Amino acid sequence: RGAQAAAEAAAELATARAEAAALLAAAHNAEVGAEARGSEARLQLQAASVEAAEAIAQIEGARAEAAVARARGEADAKALRAAHDAAVEARGNIRVFARVRPPLPKEMAEGGLAAISLPARPEDGSLGLRSVSEGKAGLFSFDRVYGPAVATAELYDEGVAPVVKSFCDGFSVCVFAYGQTGSGKTH
């Protein structure tokens, strides 16, 4: 019986040794795998660091280009303002336009309020008036004179649109419509 017990103990010892060897091999394989994964993770981290550095360099380059474009835009805005100022100074800061509205049917029936002599071109700028009832006459000068046949769109394009553009460019402007009640300011 002792021999049999020794044989069983030897078999158990051999089995335990085999299991221990298998566990050691598994631990070694796990360690090698962990090192490989760690090396792979380090390589991935290094690659990510390189990509991040490249992205930062691209961002810095874009910022530099934006700064150059901003400086160019500011210089262009200054040049535009200087050109606008020169154009306004050449034309004069204040321009006065006159518009003669068409006579109303009532005025036509009464023979009109005044005899009006218009220039051949709006830019000629002189307007002659002679009162029908009083016989008085006068000649008035304006930057432009528009007759009754001129469309509102044409008047806007030539007289108001440049002022609106100046306003949109950041300049202070004023459009002032003056005339007697019923004289056609809204015509």
Side-chain angles (χ1 to χ4, degrees):
R1 234 176 174 236
Q4 186 178 5
E8 286 176 7
E12 284 180 22
L13 180 63
T15 303
R17 280 187 185 154
E19 287 176 2
L23 287 173
L24 280 173
H28 177 71
N29 288 341
E31 184 180 339
V32 167
E35 286 178 17
R37 284 190 299 277
S39 295
E40 185 178 321
R42 277 190 292 278
L43 290 175
Q44 289 176 348
L45 180 61
Q46 288 173 348
S49 295
V50 168
E51 288 177 16
E54 289 172 356
I56 289 171
Q58 288 177 347
I59 290 170
E60 293 300 322
R63 283 184 181 159
E65 288 176 15
V68 168
R70 188 178 313 114
R72 237 185 262 135
E74 289 171 0
D76 289 347
K78 285 181 183 178
L80 176 64
R81 184 173 291 267
H84 179 270
D85 289 345
V88 167
E89 193 173 312
R91 285 189 310 225
N93 287 333
I94 298 173
R95 289 179 298 283
V96 181
F97 298 161
R99 181 178 193 195
V100 178
R101 67 168 168 77
L104 299 174
K106 178 183 173 185
E107 295 168 342
M108 292 296 288
E110 294 173 356
L113 299 176
I116 301 171
S117 62
L118 296 171
R121 299 176 312 167
E123 54 273 6
D124 289 343
S126 60
L127 175 65
L129 296 176
R130 187 177 50 79
S131 172
V132 173
S133 60
E134 298 175 16
K136 295 181 183 177
L139 184 64
F140 302 92
S141 294
F142 300 94
D143 291 307
R144 294 180 81 90
V145 176
Y146 297 96
V150 173
T152 302
E154 183 180 345
L155 176 66
Y156 176 83
D157 290 342
E158 293 180 12
V160 180
V163 176
V164 172
K165 184 185 180 321
S166 293
F167 174 75
C168 291
D169 289 341
F171 295 95
S172 297
V173 300
C174 177
V175 175
F176 183 70
Y178 178 77
Q180 183 176 354
T181 302
S183 65
K185 294 181 294 295
T186 58
H187 171 69

